[in-house]
Coordinates of all heavy atoms in Angstrom, one line a residue:
M136 N -7.7 77.4 -36.0 CA -7.3 76.1 -35.5 C -6.3 76.2 -34.3 O -6.3 75.4 -33.5 CB -6.6 75.4 -36.7 CG -6.3 74.0 -36.4 SD -7.8 73.1 -36.2 CE -7.3 71.4 -36.3
S137 N -5.4 77.2 -34.4 CA -4.4 77.3 -33.3 C -5.1 77.7 -32.0 O -4.7 77.3 -30.9 CB -3.3 78.3 -33.6 OG -3.9 79.6 -33.8
T138 N -6.3 78.5 -32.1 CA -7.0 78.8 -30.9 C -7.6 77.6 -30.2 O -7.6 77.4 -29.0 CB -8.1 79.8 -31.2 OG1 -7.6 80.9 -31.9 CG2 -8.9 80.3 -30.0
F139 N -8.1 76.7 -31.1 CA -8.7 75.4 -30.6 C -7.7 74.6 -29.9 O -7.9 74.1 -28.8 CB -9.3 74.7 -31.8 CG -9.9 73.3 -31.4 CD1 -11.1 73.2 -30.7 CD2 -9.2 72.2 -31.7 CE1 -11.6 72.0 -30.3 CE2 -9.7 70.9 -31.3 CZ -10.9 70.9 -30.6
I140 N -6.5 74.5 -30.4 CA -5.4 73.7 -29.8 C -5.0 74.4 -28.5 O -4.7 73.7 -27.5 CB -4.2 73.6 -30.8 CG1 -4.6 72.7 -31.9 CG2 -3.0 73.0 -30.1 CD1 -3.6 72.7 -33.0
A141 N -4.9 75.7 -28.5 CA -4.6 76.4 -27.2 C -5.6 76.2 -26.1 O -5.3 75.9 -25.0 CB -4.5 77.9 -27.5
W142 N -6.9 76.2 -26.5 CA -8.0 75.9 -25.5 C -7.9 74.5 -25.0 O -8.1 74.2 -23.9 CB -9.4 76.2 -26.1 CG -9.7 77.7 -26.0 CD1 -9.8 78.5 -27.1 CD2 -10.0 78.4 -24.9 NE1 -10.1 79.8 -26.6 CE2 -10.3 79.8 -25.3 CE3 -10.1 78.2 -23.5 CZ2 -10.6 80.8 -24.4 CZ3 -10.4 79.2 -22.6 CH2 -10.7 80.5 -23.0
L143 N -7.6 73.6 -25.9 CA -7.5 72.2 -25.6 C -6.3 71.9 -24.6 O -6.5 71.2 -23.6 CB -7.3 71.4 -26.9 CG -7.3 69.8 -26.7 CD1 -8.7 69.4 -26.2 CD2 -7.0 69.2 -28.1
I144 N -5.2 72.6 -24.8 CA -4.1 72.5 -24.0 C -4.4 73.1 -22.6 O -4.1 72.5 -21.5 CB -2.8 73.1 -24.5 CG1 -2.4 72.3 -25.8 CG2 -1.7 73.2 -23.5 CD1 -1.3 72.9 -26.6
F145 N -5.1 74.3 -22.6 CA -5.5 74.9 -21.4 C -6.4 74.0 -20.5 O -6.2 73.8 -19.4 CB -6.2 76.2 -21.7 CG -6.8 76.9 -20.5 CD1 -6.1 77.5 -19.5 CD2 -8.2 76.9 -20.3 CE1 -6.6 78.1 -18.4 CE2 -8.8 77.5 -19.2 CZ -8.0 78.1 -18.3
F146 N -7.5 73.4 -21.1 CA -8.3 72.5 -20.4 C -7.7 71.3 -19.9 O -8.0 70.7 -18.9 CB -9.6 72.3 -21.2 CG -10.6 73.4 -21.2 CD1 -10.9 74.0 -22.5 CD2 -11.1 73.9 -20.1 CE1 -11.8 75.0 -22.5 CE2 -12.0 75.0 -20.1 CZ -12.3 75.6 -21.3
A147 N -6.7 70.8 -20.7 CA -6.0 69.6 -20.3 C -5.1 69.9 -19.1 O -5.1 69.1 -18.1 CB -5.1 69.1 -21.5
I148 N -4.5 71.0 -19.0 CA -3.7 71.4 -17.8 C -4.6 71.6 -16.6 O -4.2 71.1 -15.5 CB -2.8 72.7 -18.2 CG1 -1.8 72.3 -19.2 CG2 -2.2 73.2 -16.9 CD1 -1.0 73.5 -19.8
V149 N -5.7 72.3 -16.8 CA -6.6 72.5 -15.7 C -7.2 71.2 -15.2 O -7.3 71.0 -14.0 CB -7.8 73.5 -16.1 CG1 -8.8 73.5 -15.1 CG2 -7.2 74.9 -16.4
G150 N -7.5 70.3 -16.1 CA -8.0 69.0 -15.7 C -6.9 68.2 -15.0 O -7.3 67.6 -14.0
L151 N -5.7 68.3 -15.4 CA -4.7 67.6 -14.6 C -4.4 68.2 -13.2 O -4.3 67.4 -12.2 CB -3.3 67.6 -15.4 CG -3.2 66.7 -16.6 CD1 -1.9 67.1 -17.4 CD2 -3.3 65.3 -16.2
I152 N -4.5 69.5 -13.1 CA -4.4 70.1 -11.8 C -5.5 69.7 -10.9 O -5.3 69.4 -9.7 CB -4.2 71.7 -12.0 CG1 -2.9 72.0 -12.6 CG2 -4.4 72.4 -10.6 CD1 -2.8 73.5 -13.0
L153 N -6.8 69.8 -11.4 CA -7.9 69.4 -10.6 C -7.9 67.9 -10.2 O -8.2 67.6 -9.1 CB -9.2 69.7 -11.3 CG -9.5 71.2 -11.5 CD1 -10.8 71.4 -12.3 CD2 -9.7 71.8 -10.1
T154 N -7.4 67.1 -11.1 CA -7.3 65.6 -10.8 C -6.3 65.4 -9.6 O -6.5 64.7 -8.7 CB -6.9 64.9 -12.0 OG1 -7.9 65.1 -13.0 CG2 -6.8 63.4 -11.7
A155 N -5.1 66.2 -9.7 CA -4.2 66.1 -8.6 C -4.7 66.5 -7.3 O -4.4 65.9 -6.3 CB -2.9 66.8 -9.1
I156 N -5.4 67.6 -7.3 CA -6.0 68.2 -6.1 C -7.0 67.2 -5.5 O -7.0 66.9 -4.3 CB -6.6 69.5 -6.3 CG1 -5.5 70.6 -6.6 CG2 -7.5 70.0 -5.1 CD1 -6.1 71.9 -7.1
F157 N -7.9 66.7 -6.3 CA -8.9 65.7 -5.8 C -8.3 64.4 -5.3 O -8.7 63.9 -4.4 CB -9.9 65.4 -6.9 CG -10.9 66.6 -7.2 CD1 -11.2 66.9 -8.4 CD2 -11.5 67.2 -6.1 CE1 -12.1 68.0 -8.7 CE2 -12.3 68.3 -6.3 CZ -12.7 68.6 -7.6
A158 N -7.2 64.0 -6.0 CA -6.5 62.8 -5.5 C -5.9 63.0 -4.2 O -5.9 62.1 -3.3 CB -5.4 62.4 -6.5
Q159 N -5.3 64.2 -3.9 CA -4.7 64.5 -2.6 C -5.8 64.6 -1.6 O -5.6 64.0 -0.5 CB -4.0 65.9 -2.7 CG -3.3 66.2 -1.5 CD -2.1 65.4 -1.1 OE1 -1.4 64.9 -2.0 NE2 -1.9 65.1 0.1
V160 N -6.9 65.2 -1.8 CA -8.0 65.3 -0.9 C -8.5 63.9 -0.6 O -8.8 63.5 0.6 CB -9.1 66.2 -1.4 CG1 -10.4 66.1 -0.6 CG2 -8.6 67.6 -1.5
W161 N -8.7 63.1 -1.6 CA -9.1 61.7 -1.4 C -8.2 60.9 -0.5 O -8.6 60.2 0.4 CB -9.3 61.0 -2.8 CG -9.8 59.6 -2.7 CD1 -9.1 58.5 -2.6 CD2 -11.2 59.2 -2.8 NE1 -9.9 57.4 -2.5 CE2 -11.2 57.8 -2.7 CE3 -12.4 59.9 -2.9 CZ2 -12.4 57.1 -2.7 CZ3 -13.5 59.2 -2.9 CH2 -13.6 57.9 -2.8
D162 N -6.9 61.0 -0.7 CA -5.9 60.3 0.1 C -5.9 60.8 1.5 O -5.9 60.0 2.5 CB -4.5 60.5 -0.5 CG -4.3 59.7 -1.7 OD1 -5.1 58.8 -2.0 OD2 -3.4 60.0 -2.5
D163 N -6.1 62.1 1.7 CA -6.2 62.6 3.1 C -7.4 62.2 3.8 O -7.4 61.8 5.0 CB -6.2 64.2 3.1 CG -4.8 64.7 2.7 OD1 -3.8 64.0 2.7 OD2 -4.8 66.0 2.3
A164 N -8.6 62.1 3.1 CA -9.8 61.7 3.7 C -9.7 60.2 4.1 O -10.1 59.7 5.2 CB -10.9 61.9 2.8
K165 N -9.0 59.4 3.2 CA -8.9 58.0 3.5 C -7.9 57.8 4.7 O -8.2 56.9 5.6 CB -8.3 57.3 2.3 CG -8.3 55.8 2.4 CD -8.0 55.0 1.1 CE -6.9 55.6 0.3 NZ -6.5 54.7 -0.8
E166 N -6.9 58.6 4.8 CA -6.0 58.5 5.9 C -6.7 59.0 7.2 O -6.4 58.3 8.3 CB -4.8 59.4 5.7 CG -3.6 59.3 6.7 CD -2.5 60.2 6.3 OE1 -2.2 60.3 5.1 OE2 -1.9 60.9 7.2
I167 N -7.5 60.0 7.2 CA -8.2 60.4 8.4 C -9.1 59.3 8.8 O -9.3 59.1 10.0 CB -8.9 61.8 8.1 CG1 -7.9 62.9 8.0 CG2 -9.9 62.1 9.2 CD1 -8.5 64.2 7.5
G168 N -9.8 58.7 7.9 CA -10.8 57.6 8.2 C -10.1 56.5 8.9 O -10.5 55.9 9.8
A169 N -8.9 56.1 8.4 CA -8.1 55.0 8.9 C -7.6 55.3 10.4 O -7.7 54.5 11.3 CB -6.9 54.7 8.1
E170 N -7.2 56.6 10.6 CA -6.8 57.0 11.9 C -8.0 57.0 12.9 O -7.9 56.5 14.0 CB -6.2 58.4 11.9 CG -5.8 59.0 13.2 CD -4.6 58.3 13.8 OE1 -3.9 57.6 13.0 OE2 -4.4 58.3 15.0
Q171 N -9.2 57.4 12.4 CA -10.3 57.4 13.3 C -10.7 55.9 13.7 O -11.1 55.6 14.8 CB -11.5 58.1 12.7 CG -11.4 59.6 12.6 CD -12.5 60.3 11.9 OE1 -13.2 59.6 11.1 NE2 -12.6 61.6 12.0
Q172 N -10.6 55.0 12.7 CA -10.9 53.6 12.9 C -9.9 53.0 13.9 O -10.3 52.3 14.8 CB -10.9 52.8 11.6 CG -11.3 51.4 11.8 CD -12.7 51.2 12.2 OE1 -13.6 52.0 11.9 NE2 -13.0 50.2 13.1
R173 N -8.6 53.4 13.8 CA -7.6 52.9 14.7 C -7.9 53.4 16.1 O -7.8 52.6 17.1 CB -6.2 53.4 14.2 CG -5.1 52.8 15.0 CD -3.7 53.4 14.7 NE -3.6 54.8 15.1 CZ -3.4 55.2 16.3 NH1 -3.3 54.4 17.3 NH2 -3.4 56.5 16.6
R174 N -8.3 54.6 16.2 CA -8.6 55.2 17.6 C -9.8 54.4 18.2 O -9.9 54.1 19.4 CB -8.8 56.7 17.5 CG -7.6 57.4 17.3 CD -7.9 58.9 17.3 NE -6.7 59.7 17.1 CZ -6.7 61.0 17.0 NH1 -7.8 61.7 17.1 NH2 -5.5 61.6 16.7
K175 N -10.8 54.2 17.3 CA -12.0 53.5 17.8 C -11.7 52.1 18.3 O -12.1 51.7 19.3 CB -13.1 53.5 16.7 CG -14.4 52.8 17.1 CD -15.3 52.7 15.9 CE -16.5 51.9 16.2 NZ -17.3 51.6 15.1
D176 N -10.8 51.4 17.5 CA -10.4 50.0 17.8 C -9.7 50.0 19.1 O -9.8 49.2 20.0 CB -9.6 49.4 16.7 CG -10.4 49.1 15.5 OD1 -11.7 49.1 15.6 OD2 -9.8 48.9 14.4
F177 N -8.8 51.1 19.3 CA -8.0 51.2 20.5 C -8.9 51.4 21.7 O -8.7 50.8 22.8 CB -7.0 52.4 20.4 CG -6.1 52.6 21.6 CD1 -5.0 51.7 21.8 CD2 -6.3 53.6 22.4 CE1 -4.2 51.9 22.9 CE2 -5.5 53.8 23.5 CZ -4.4 52.9 23.7
R178 N -9.9 52.3 21.6 CA -10.8 52.6 22.7 C -11.6 51.3 23.1 O -11.8 51.0 24.2 CB -11.8 53.7 22.3 CG -11.2 55.1 22.5 CD -12.3 56.1 22.4 NE -13.2 56.0 21.3 CZ -13.0 56.6 20.2 NH1 -12.0 57.4 20.0 NH2 -13.9 56.5 19.2
E179 N -12.0 50.6 22.0 CA -12.8 49.4 22.3 C -11.9 48.3 23.0 O -12.4 47.6 23.9 CB -13.3 48.8 21.0 CG -14.3 47.7 21.2 CD -15.0 47.3 19.9 OE1 -15.2 48.1 19.0 OE2 -15.3 46.1 19.7
T180 N -10.7 48.2 22.5 CA -9.7 47.2 23.2 C -9.5 47.6 24.6 O -9.5 46.7 25.5 CB -8.4 47.2 22.4 OG1 -8.7 46.8 21.0 CG2 -7.5 46.2 23.0
N181 N -9.3 48.9 24.9 CA -9.1 49.3 26.3 C -10.3 49.0 27.1 O -10.2 48.7 28.3 CB -8.7 50.8 26.3 CG -7.2 51.0 26.2 OD1 -6.5 50.0 26.2 ND2 -6.8 52.2 26.0
H182 N -11.5 49.3 26.5 CA -12.8 49.0 27.3 C -12.8 47.5 27.6 O -13.2 47.2 28.8 CB -13.9 49.4 26.4 CG -15.2 49.0 26.9 ND1 -15.8 49.6 28.0 CD2 -16.1 48.0 26.6 CE1 -17.0 49.0 28.3 NE2 -17.2 48.0 27.5
W183 N -12.5 46.7 26.7 CA -12.6 45.2 27.1 C -11.5 44.8 28.0 O -11.7 43.9 28.9 CB -12.5 44.4 25.8 CG -13.8 44.4 25.1 CD1 -14.1 45.1 23.9 CD2 -15.0 43.8 25.5 NE1 -15.4 44.9 23.6 CE2 -16.0 44.1 24.6 CE3 -15.4 43.0 26.6 CZ2 -17.3 43.7 24.6 CZ3 -16.7 42.6 26.7 CH2 -17.7 42.9 25.8
K184 N -10.3 45.4 28.0 CA -9.3 45.2 29.0 C -9.7 45.6 30.4 O -9.5 44.9 31.3 CB -8.0 45.9 28.6 CG -7.2 45.3 27.5 CD -5.9 46.1 27.2 CE -5.2 45.5 26.1 NZ -4.0 46.4 25.8
Q185 N -10.4 46.8 30.5 CA -10.9 47.2 31.8 C -12.0 46.2 32.3 O -12.0 45.9 33.5 CB -11.5 48.6 31.6 CG -10.5 49.7 31.4 CD -9.6 49.8 32.7 OE1 -10.0 49.7 33.8 NE2 -8.3 50.1 32.4
K186 N -12.8 45.8 31.4 CA -13.9 44.8 31.8 C -13.2 43.5 32.3 O -13.7 42.9 33.2 CB -14.8 44.5 30.6 CG -15.8 45.5 30.3 CD -16.8 45.6 31.3 CE -18.2 45.9 30.6 NZ -19.2 45.9 31.6
A187 N -12.2 43.1 31.6 CA -11.5 41.8 32.0 C -10.8 42.0 33.4 O -10.8 41.0 34.1 CB -10.5 41.4 31.0
Q188 N -10.4 43.1 33.6 CA -9.7 43.4 34.9 C -10.7 43.5 36.1 O -10.3 43.3 37.2 CB -8.8 44.6 34.9 CG -7.6 44.4 34.0 CD -6.9 45.7 33.8 OE1 -7.2 46.8 34.3 NE2 -5.7 45.7 33.1
H189 N -11.9 43.9 35.8 CA -12.9 44.1 36.8 C -14.2 43.3 36.5 O -15.2 43.8 36.2 CB -13.3 45.6 37.0 CG -12.1 46.4 37.2 ND1 -11.5 46.4 38.5 CD2 -11.4 47.3 36.4 CE1 -10.4 47.3 38.4 NE2 -10.4 47.8 37.2
P190 N -14.1 42.0 36.6 CA -15.2 41.1 36.2 C -16.3 41.2 37.3 O -16.0 41.4 38.5 CB -14.7 39.7 36.1 CG -13.5 39.7 37.0 CD -12.9 41.1 36.9
M191 N -17.5 41.0 36.9 CA -18.7 41.0 37.8 C -19.3 39.6 37.7 O -19.5 39.2 36.6 CB -19.7 42.1 37.5 CG -19.1 43.5 37.7 SD -20.3 44.8 37.1 CE -21.7 44.4 38.1
I192 N -19.6 39.0 38.8 CA -20.3 37.7 38.8 C -21.6 37.9 39.5 O -21.7 38.4 40.6 CB -19.4 36.7 39.5 CG1 -18.1 36.5 38.9 CG2 -20.2 35.3 39.6 CD1 -17.1 35.7 39.7
F193 N -22.7 37.5 38.8 CA -24.0 37.5 39.4 C -24.4 36.1 39.8 O -24.3 35.2 39.1 CB -25.1 38.0 38.3 CG -24.9 39.4 37.9 CD1 -24.2 39.8 36.8 CD2 -25.5 40.4 38.7 CE1 -24.1 41.1 36.4 CE2 -25.3 41.7 38.3 CZ -24.6 42.1 37.2
I194 N -24.8 36.1 41.1 CA -25.3 34.8 41.7 C -26.7 34.9 42.1 O -27.0 35.8 42.9 CB -24.4 34.4 42.9 CG1 -23.0 34.3 42.4 CG2 -24.9 33.1 43.5 CD1 -22.0 34.1 43.6
K195 N -27.6 34.1 41.6 CA -29.0 34.1 42.0 C -29.3 32.9 42.7 O -29.1 31.8 42.2 CB -29.8 34.3 40.7 CG -31.3 34.6 41.0 CD -32.0 34.9 39.7 CE -33.4 35.4 40.1 NZ -34.2 35.9 39.0
E196 N -29.8 33.1 43.9 CA -30.1 31.9 44.8 C -31.5 31.4 44.5 O -32.3 32.0 43.8 CB -30.0 32.3 46.3 CG -28.6 32.6 46.7 CD -28.5 32.8 48.2 OE1 -29.5 32.8 48.9 OE2 -27.4 33.0 48.7
L197 N -31.8 30.2 45.0 CA -33.1 29.6 44.7 C -34.3 30.4 45.2 O -35.4 30.4 44.6 CB -33.2 28.2 45.2 CG -32.2 27.2 44.5 CD1 -32.3 25.9 45.3 CD2 -32.6 27.1 43.1
D198 N -34.1 31.2 46.3 CA -35.2 31.9 46.9 C -35.4 33.3 46.2 O -36.3 34.0 46.6 CB -35.0 32.1 48.4 CG -33.8 32.9 48.8 OD1 -33.0 33.2 47.8 OD2 -33.5 33.1 50.0
G199 N -34.6 33.6 45.2 CA -34.8 34.8 44.5 C -33.8 35.9 44.8 O -33.9 36.9 44.1
E200 N -33.1 35.8 45.8 CA -32.1 36.9 46.1 C -31.0 36.9 45.1 O -30.6 35.9 44.6 CB -31.6 36.7 47.5 CG -32.6 36.9 48.6 CD -31.9 36.9 50.0 OE1 -30.8 37.4 50.1 OE2 -32.6 36.4 50.9
E201 N -30.5 38.0 44.8 CA -29.4 38.2 43.8 C -28.2 38.9 44.5 O -28.4 39.9 45.1 CB -29.9 39.0 42.6 CG -29.0 38.9 41.5 CD -29.7 39.5 40.2 OE1 -30.7 39.0 39.8 OE2 -29.1 40.6 39.7
F202 N -27.0 38.4 44.3 CA -25.8 38.9 44.8 C -24.9 39.3 43.6 O -24.9 38.6 42.6 CB -25.1 38.0 45.7 CG -25.8 37.6 46.9 CD1 -26.6 36.5 46.9 CD2 -25.8 38.4 48.0 CE1 -27.3 36.1 48.1 CE2 -26.5 38.1 49.2 CZ -27.3 36.9 49.2
V203 N -24.1 40.3 43.8 CA -23.1 40.7 42.8 C -21.8 40.6 43.4 O -21.5 41.3 44.5 CB -23.4 42.1 42.2 CG1 -22.3 42.5 41.2 CG2 -24.8 42.2 41.6
L204 N -20.8 39.9 42.9 CA -19.5 39.8 43.4 C -18.6 40.7 42.4 O -18.6 40.4 41.2 CB -19.0 38.4 43.5 CG -19.8 37.5 44.4 CD1 -19.2 36.1 44.3 CD2 -19.7 38.0 45.8
R205 N -17.8 41.6 42.9 CA -17.0 42.4 42.1 C -15.5 42.2 42.6 O -15.3 42.3 43.7 CB -17.3 43.8 42.1 CG -18.6 44.1 41.5 CD -18.9 45.6 41.5 NE -20.2 45.8 40.9 CZ -21.1 46.8 41.2 NH1 -20.7 47.6 42.2 NH2 -22.2 46.9 40.7
R206 N -14.6 42.0 41.6 CA -13.2 42.0 42.0 C -12.6 43.4 41.8 O -12.8 44.0 40.8 CB -12.5 41.0 41.0 CG -11.1 40.8 41.4 CD -10.4 39.8 40.4 NE -9.2 40.5 40.0 CZ -8.6 40.3 38.9 NH1 -9.1 39.5 38.0 NH2 -7.6 40.9 38.5
R207 N -12.0 43.9 42.8 CA -11.4 45.2 42.8 C -9.9 45.2 42.8 O -9.2 44.5 43.2 CB -12.0 46.1 43.9 CG -13.4 46.3 43.7 CD -14.0 47.2 44.8 NE -15.4 47.2 44.7 CZ -16.1 48.3 44.4 NH1 -15.4 49.5 44.3 NH2 -17.4 48.3 44.3

């Protein structure tokens, strides 16, 4: 009976250690994902800021010619 209790305690300790390790890995992965999303949002925001600073206007005349006006 004491061997059974010893094995039960052993597996409980191993289970707690593994749970702690997996929880840490899960938190790190979530943190990395949030950082990647923040960088992606930052890049997209900068892209749209650049577009807003350099707008392009297309003008199509009745005879079919097309002009592009760019602000520099």
Side-chain angles (χ1 to χ4, degrees):
M136 187 65 164
S137 64
T138 307
F139 176 74
I140 293 173
W142 280 107
L143 188 63
I144 292 172
F145 172 74
F146 283 121
I148 292 171
V149 169
L151 287 173
I152 291 172
L153 288 176
T154 302
I156 291 171
F157 287 135
Q159 182 67 35
V160 169
W161 182 270
D162 288 343
D163 289 345
K165 191 167 46 169
E166 187 176 319
I167 290 170
E170 179 68 22
Q171 287 176 345
Q172 184 64 36
R173 188 187 64 77
R174 287 182 183 178
K175 180 182 174 189
D176 292 344
F177 181 75
R178 281 194 309 266
E179 189 172 329
T180 302
N181 273 350
H182 172 73
W183 284 107
K184 283 181 183 177
Q185 290 293 325
K186 286 287 220 181
Q188 291 174 356
H189 304 288
M191 296 174 57
I192 300 171
F193 291 96
I194 300 172
K195 191 168 189 175
E196 292 186 356
L197 293 176
D198 62 357
E200 291 186 39
E201 192 171 297
F202 296 95
V203 178
L204 300 177
R205 293 185 182 146
R206 187 180 127 205
R207 293 182 186 243

